[in-house]
């Protein structure tokens, strides 16, 4: 069984209030030198059978129609080893 990961993040032009809150909190917690934080979602899909072009195309379609709001979010699909 293979694992496919879909990482979903807000598009760069979309305001990320959660990321900004984390960024502001880091120095208060002693973590310096972080210029920007963007918050996102990670989906781990365990795929039965081979992860071939057809399977990846289906997962891409799933991400585009269900896992991500493509108006405000970008996503990346990758196979995890």
């Amino acid at each position: 069984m293979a694992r496919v990961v879909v990482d979903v993040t807000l598009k760069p032009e979309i305001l990320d209030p959660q990321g900004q809150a984390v960024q502001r909190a880091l120095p208060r917690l002693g973590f310096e030198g972080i210029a920007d934080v963007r918050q996102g979602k990670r989906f781990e899909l365990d795929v039965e059978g081979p992860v071939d072009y057809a399977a990846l195309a289906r997962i891409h379609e799933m991400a585009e129609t269900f896992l991500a709001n493509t108006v405000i979010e970008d996503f990346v699909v990758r196979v995890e080893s």
Side-chain angles (χ1 to χ4, degrees):
M1 193 170 311
R3 175 164 289 168
V4 177
V5 175
V6 180
D7 290 311
V8 180
T9 56
L10 289 170
K11 291 184 176 186
E13 62 271 15
I14 301 298
L15 181 65
D16 184 356
Q18 288 179 302
Q20 289 176 341
V22 170
Q23 180 184 2
R24 286 190 305 270
L26 289 174
R28 292 192 305 267
L29 298 171
F31 299 101
E32 300 292 335
I34 304 300
D36 192 25
V37 175
R38 300 291 289 177
Q39 177 265 332
K41 302 178 277 191
R42 173 185 166 112
F43 297 93
E44 296 180 359
L45 309 169
D46 291 330
V47 179
E48 296 176 351
V51 180
D52 55 11
Y53 178 80
L56 286 175
R58 187 78 175 134
I59 291 169
H60 189 276
E61 179 185 6
M62 178 192 321
E64 193 168 45
T65 59
F66 181 66
L67 301 179
N69 176 350
T70 57
V71 173
I72 62 169
E73 294 174 318
D74 290 326
F75 66 90
V76 175
V77 176
R78 62 187 167 83
V79 178
E80 192 171 76
S81 53

